[in-house]
Amino acid sequence: MSKIEQKSIDLASQQMLKKAEAEGIQTVWDRLEEMQPQCGFGQLGVCCSVCSMGPCRIDPFGEGASLGVCGANADTIAARNLARKIAVGGSAHSDHGRDVVNTLLMCAKHTAHKKGEKGHSHDYEITDEKKLKELAQEFGIDINKDINKIAEEVGNLMLSEFGKQKGQLLFIKRAPQKRQEIWRKTGIIPRGIDREVVELLHTTTMGVDNDYRNLMLTGLRCALADGWGGSMIATDLQDVLLGKPVPVRSKVNLGVLKEDQVNIVVHGHEPILSEMAVKASRDPALVKLAKEKGAKGINLVGMCCTANEVLMRQGVPVAGNFLQQELAIITGAVEVMMVDVQCIMPALEQIASCFHTKLITTSPKARFPGVKHIQFSEERAYEVSKQIIKEAIDNFPNRIKERVNIPPQSMDLVAGFTKEIIFQILGGTYRASYRPLNEGIISGRLRGVAGVVGCNNPKQTHDLYHVELVKELIKKDVLVLQTGCSAIACAKAGLLVPEAAEQYAGRGLQEICAAVGIPPVLHMGSCVDNSRILTAACEIIKEGGLGNDLSDIPAAGAAPEWMSEKAITIGFYFVGSGVFTVIGAEPFAVLGSKNLTDYLTKGIEQDVGAKFAFAEEPQEMARLMIEHIDRKRKALNLKPVMYEEQLQVKS
Ligand code: BF8
């Protein structure tokens, strides 16, 4: 493998890496190399800077200090560090969720005024009234009233969930009874995320919690408050406001950028603005303006989780995943990269300055010194979006044609799978049901289900771990559910089209995919949409025949290339919900504490019925997941997997 092939398996990315090298442009891979050797204490989780008696570090070889100045040992230090990351990851998702609730409330309060009337002060509307009413009924809100009143009541109730001090989150009731009992017994039934984050952070400050297990239990409760609270609220209310996704075809990879059009990349996480930007990019007056500037049109594409959001609901093409954000700019063909929050590399400013690309920040929470900021406001969403699109159009003549190099790769994909859509596609509109999925698993046609999610990390060959793991799983008749950058990786490899079943899936999965016309890998959205995987798992239990708890299902999770604190939180709410989860890349920086490592990979199972595993290679990840799925099949006394010995895989 050449050095560039070691960086990424994606041909489009390789082409851009060659260009970066030729033009002397530094990327994330160069910075990683420059950073070597990275701090070994940090990697093991035994470095502490919680108070100013430190920073302290524990010698993992037992030759130097075994205690910090305060007396904290490696277990306490590593557990506190990890707990803080859980709090940060949960905060990111849930703060996103809160903004969605505020938009719904604003929408409900001002929709009494029709568009164009004095008093109408926004550009949103309640797109999915049915889902809103279902949510209202779930919470016991009377639906025999004006839709905006329902939205206001649902919005206020959801907003109060964030700060809920006592009791439990409303969505907890969605979990199987047995799961709720486990949470109650273990003392991790979550209250509001604001409450849980504050308590978790409190326990990690100097001189509070010194028990690694207790720190992890508090961490689990915080993560559950995100998965079954902030993130779930974000997903459900985004569906209400912007519409529930339905299966949609689109394209993915850098080849979606267009040489003859104004290219705008929307990057970040919150769809509230990017949905409006999609609308503005189709505004006839702006398209006309783009043509006057010499472009054939306006091409808006997505990056990272914002891409997943606008893909799921609008079919907008995806330019790439986390490690491709710099590479998109290096094509020389991006007029504007518009960013909001999360996973936006600080390096973008530097890379954009090498080209004509304008980086535009939009969130008051995320700014770069000296970078153009056009602040988003829900009240002026369309106006702000048009302003940003106009910036891009005006920048089109500044593009230097000789520096444009757009890779040809763009792959077809199908996205837009939700808990509700799985009902319909499997059972049909009139008999919507999870029965066929459960029957598929019970009969052994399907081995089980896997959730493969998370980021990219330059420490690993870009996309390789996602793609190899998912190929191995579908080959063994495991239906794969995906979100985030992992879904984008597999989409680029051609796994998210129905035809992929014939090429890559085992015979049982092939039969299911052919019968209902789905890909073997279902794209369920952005990282907050991991909540869709939780609710789909609840439907499997409700349908019957596969146990009483989420931990009974022949299912497993994985984050093969994770890098963000958000992925840690997701891992904790997966495990906390009973899903065995394999972690690739870095083992959460816990190896400096044997006790903590043992707890996460063994002891935690006694508390929540699931555990983590750390693995380096995709084949090993697949083996661990399949072994777990098979163990669960055995525990349920299911028939053997139907086509175990007769794999029909072509490659
Ligand atoms: O929330 S998968 S790199 S983009 S953190 Fe970020 Fe990771 Fe991508 Fe989305 Ni999720």
PDB file of all heavy atoms in Angstrom, residues 269 304-305 322 343 454-455 484-485 527 563-564 566, ligand 1:
ATOM      1  N   HIS A 269     -24.212  20.144  11.802  1.00  0.00           N
ATOM      2  CA  HIS A 269     -25.177  19.186  12.355  1.00  0.00           C
ATOM      3  C   HIS A 269     -26.636  19.572  12.369  1.00  0.00           C
ATOM      4  O   HIS A 269     -27.493  18.715  12.330  1.00  0.00           O
ATOM      5  CB  HIS A 269     -24.737  18.798  13.773  1.00  0.00           C
ATOM      6  CG  HIS A 269     -23.637  17.796  13.738  1.00  0.00           C
ATOM      7  ND1 HIS A 269     -22.356  18.134  13.457  1.00  0.00           N
ATOM      8  CD2 HIS A 269     -23.658  16.455  13.883  1.00  0.00           C
ATOM      9  CE1 HIS A 269     -21.605  17.046  13.450  1.00  0.00           C
ATOM     10  NE2 HIS A 269     -22.371  16.005  13.704  1.00  0.00           N
ATOM     11  N   CYS A 304     -20.739  15.631   6.380  1.00  0.00           N
ATOM     12  CA  CYS A 304     -20.932  15.099   7.739  1.00  0.00           C
ATOM     13  C   CYS A 304     -22.423  14.966   8.069  1.00  0.00           C
ATOM     14  O   CYS A 304     -23.223  14.649   7.210  1.00  0.00           O
ATOM     15  CB  CYS A 304     -20.183  15.936   8.765  1.00  0.00           C
ATOM     16  SG  CYS A 304     -18.403  15.721   8.672  1.00  0.00           S
ATOM     17  N   CYS A 305     -22.795  15.250   9.318  1.00  0.00           N
ATOM     18  CA  CYS A 305     -24.178  14.938   9.716  1.00  0.00           C
ATOM     19  C   CYS A 305     -25.212  15.896   9.148  1.00  0.00           C
ATOM     20  O   CYS A 305     -26.360  15.506   8.937  1.00  0.00           O
ATOM     21  CB  CYS A 305     -24.290  14.836  11.227  1.00  0.00           C
ATOM     22  SG  CYS A 305     -23.812  13.184  11.770  1.00  0.00           S
ATOM     23  N   PHE A 322     -16.485  12.950   7.644  1.00  0.00           N
ATOM     24  CA  PHE A 322     -15.634  13.813   8.466  1.00  0.00           C
ATOM     25  C   PHE A 322     -14.261  14.120   7.853  1.00  0.00           C
ATOM     26  O   PHE A 322     -13.841  15.269   7.790  1.00  0.00           O
ATOM     27  CB  PHE A 322     -15.473  13.181   9.856  1.00  0.00           C
ATOM     28  CG  PHE A 322     -14.568  13.936  10.771  1.00  0.00           C
ATOM     29  CD1 PHE A 322     -14.944  15.175  11.272  1.00  0.00           C
ATOM     30  CD2 PHE A 322     -13.330  13.429  11.135  1.00  0.00           C
ATOM     31  CE1 PHE A 322     -14.105  15.897  12.113  1.00  0.00           C
ATOM     32  CE2 PHE A 322     -12.485  14.139  11.970  1.00  0.00           C
ATOM     33  CZ  PHE A 322     -12.876  15.364  12.466  1.00  0.00           C
ATOM     34  N   CYS A 343     -17.893  18.989  14.854  1.00  0.00           N
ATOM     35  CA  CYS A 343     -17.093  18.258  13.861  1.00  0.00           C
ATOM     36  C   CYS A 343     -16.552  19.143  12.740  1.00  0.00           C
ATOM     37  O   CYS A 343     -16.214  18.653  11.654  1.00  0.00           O
ATOM     38  CB  CYS A 343     -17.864  17.065  13.295  1.00  0.00           C
ATOM     39  SG  CYS A 343     -18.369  15.934  14.594  1.00  0.00           S
ATOM     40  N   GLY A 454     -20.850   6.166  13.783  1.00  0.00           N
ATOM     41  CA  GLY A 454     -19.678   6.923  14.223  1.00  0.00           C
ATOM     42  C   GLY A 454     -18.857   7.546  13.117  1.00  0.00           C
ATOM     43  O   GLY A 454     -19.245   7.568  11.949  1.00  0.00           O
ATOM     44  N   CYS A 455     -17.680   7.976  13.529  1.00  0.00           N
ATOM     45  CA  CYS A 455     -16.876   8.945  12.799  1.00  0.00           C
ATOM     46  C   CYS A 455     -15.828   8.304  11.889  1.00  0.00           C
ATOM     47  O   CYS A 455     -15.820   7.099  11.680  1.00  0.00           O
ATOM     48  CB  CYS A 455     -16.119   9.777  13.822  1.00  0.00           C
ATOM     49  SG  CYS A 455     -17.003  10.053  15.368  1.00  0.00           S
ATOM     50  N   GLY A 484     -24.613   8.598  10.716  1.00  0.00           N
ATOM     51  CA  GLY A 484     -23.374   9.381  10.791  1.00  0.00           C
ATOM     52  C   GLY A 484     -22.410   9.149   9.646  1.00  0.00           C
ATOM     53  O   GLY A 484     -22.784   8.781   8.530  1.00  0.00           O
ATOM     54  N   CYS A 485     -21.126   9.352   9.957  1.00  0.00           N
ATOM     55  CA  CYS A 485     -20.087   9.253   8.932  1.00  0.00           C
ATOM     56  C   CYS A 485     -19.876   7.806   8.502  1.00  0.00           C
ATOM     57  O   CYS A 485     -19.344   7.544   7.420  1.00  0.00           O
ATOM     58  CB  CYS A 485     -18.799   9.863   9.457  1.00  0.00           C
ATOM     59  SG  CYS A 485     -18.952  11.647   9.600  1.00  0.00           S
ATOM     60  N   CYS A 527     -26.115  11.533  13.590  1.00  0.00           N
ATOM     61  CA  CYS A 527     -25.778  10.913  14.884  1.00  0.00           C
ATOM     62  C   CYS A 527     -26.885  11.068  15.916  1.00  0.00           C
ATOM     63  O   CYS A 527     -27.069  10.168  16.738  1.00  0.00           O
ATOM     64  CB  CYS A 527     -24.463  11.462  15.400  1.00  0.00           C
ATOM     65  SG  CYS A 527     -23.088  10.629  14.605  1.00  0.00           S
ATOM     66  N   MET A 563     -14.029   9.145  16.764  1.00  0.00           N
ATOM     67  CA  MET A 563     -13.071  10.138  17.268  1.00  0.00           C
ATOM     68  C   MET A 563     -13.738  11.148  18.212  1.00  0.00           C
ATOM     69  O   MET A 563     -13.096  11.717  19.067  1.00  0.00           O
ATOM     70  CB  MET A 563     -12.345  10.876  16.137  1.00  0.00           C
ATOM     71  CG  MET A 563     -13.191  11.757  15.247  1.00  0.00           C
ATOM     72  SD  MET A 563     -13.464  13.403  15.908  1.00  0.00           S
ATOM     73  CE  MET A 563     -14.984  13.850  15.109  1.00  0.00           C
ATOM     74  N   SER A 564     -15.036  11.376  18.090  1.00  0.00           N
ATOM     75  CA  SER A 564     -15.686  12.451  18.841  1.00  0.00           C
ATOM     76  C   SER A 564     -16.177  11.976  20.210  1.00  0.00           C
ATOM     77  O   SER A 564     -16.557  10.812  20.381  1.00  0.00           O
ATOM     78  CB  SER A 564     -16.877  12.955  18.022  1.00  0.00           C
ATOM     79  OG  SER A 564     -17.760  13.695  18.816  1.00  0.00           O
ATOM     80  N   LYS A 566     -18.908  12.652  21.277  1.00  0.00           N
ATOM     81  CA  LYS A 566     -20.305  12.256  21.056  1.00  0.00           C
ATOM     82  C   LYS A 566     -20.409  10.749  20.842  1.00  0.00           C
ATOM     83  O   LYS A 566     -21.382  10.115  21.250  1.00  0.00           O
ATOM     84  CB  LYS A 566     -20.878  12.994  19.838  1.00  0.00           C
ATOM     85  CG  LYS A 566     -21.066  14.465  20.067  1.00  0.00           C
ATOM     86  CD  LYS A 566     -21.657  15.133  18.830  1.00  0.00           C
ATOM     87  CE  LYS A 566     -20.644  15.255  17.723  1.00  0.00           C
ATOM     88  NZ  LYS A 566     -21.251  15.700  16.463  1.00  0.00           N
TER      89      LYS A 566
HETATM   90  O1  BF8 B   1     -22.290  13.560  14.782  1.00  0.00           O
HETATM   91  S1  BF8 B   1     -20.145  10.606  12.998  1.00  0.00           S
HETATM   92  S2  BF8 B   1     -17.433  12.741  12.808  1.00  0.00           S
HETATM   93  S3  BF8 B   1     -20.218  14.261  11.808  1.00  0.00           S
HETATM   94  S4  BF8 B   1     -19.440  12.876  15.606  1.00  0.00           S
HETATM   95 FE1  BF8 B   1     -18.911  14.016  13.651  1.00  0.00          FE
HETATM   96 FE2  BF8 B   1     -18.565  11.540  14.183  1.00  0.00          FE
HETATM   97 FE3  BF8 B   1     -19.228  12.276  11.795  1.00  0.00          FE
HETATM   98 FE4  BF8 B   1     -21.917  13.778  13.037  1.00  0.00          FE
HETATM   99 NI1  BF8 B   1     -21.286  11.947  14.661  1.00  0.00          NI
END
